Amino acid sequence: MDKHVFVLADAVSSQYIGDRYIALERMRQAGAVVTTTESAIFELLGDFKHPLAKKLSKGGKGRPECGMPQGLPQASGKL
């Protein structure tokens, strides 16, 4: 059975920001799809026209923008 792992970068944390960056990179290199909570919600719902879309989107305020620390290099491709 194939499993597809998705990691919500803006929903994970670490005591040190550099450790968080390294952990996300390691998961990406191992084949995980690193994405954001909002992206995952809209992928599951289909689009923003879904009745729950606005409610769920508003519930995520206050998260880091992308889950990746500022000033550290980003991996190629979408986060």
Side-chain angles (χ1 to χ4, degrees):
M1 175 185 339
D2 287 332
K3 296 189 181 196
H4 302 280
V5 176
F6 289 78
V7 178
L8 306 180
D10 56 349
V12 297
S13 185
S14 177
Q15 183 175 354
Y16 301 104
I17 199 163
D19 291 343
R20 182 175 174 206
Y21 171 77
I22 296 299
L24 290 169
E25 281 302 302
R26 287 185 67 192
M27 287 185 272
R28 180 184 281 116
Q29 290 171 6
V33 175
V34 180
T35 189
T36 64
T37 301
E38 187 168 64
S39 291
I41 288 170
F42 291 132
E43 188 170 336
L44 290 169
L45 294 179
D47 64 26
F48 198 72
K49 295 177 184 172
H50 190 283
L52 293 175
K54 285 184 182 179
K55 181 178 182 180
L56 292 173
S57 180
K58 288 179 184 175
K61 300 298 179 206
R63 297 184 317 255
E65 279 190 36
C66 68
M68 300 300 280
Q70 296 294 325
L72 292 176
Q74 304 261 342
S76 59
K78 284 188 166 181
L79 183 64

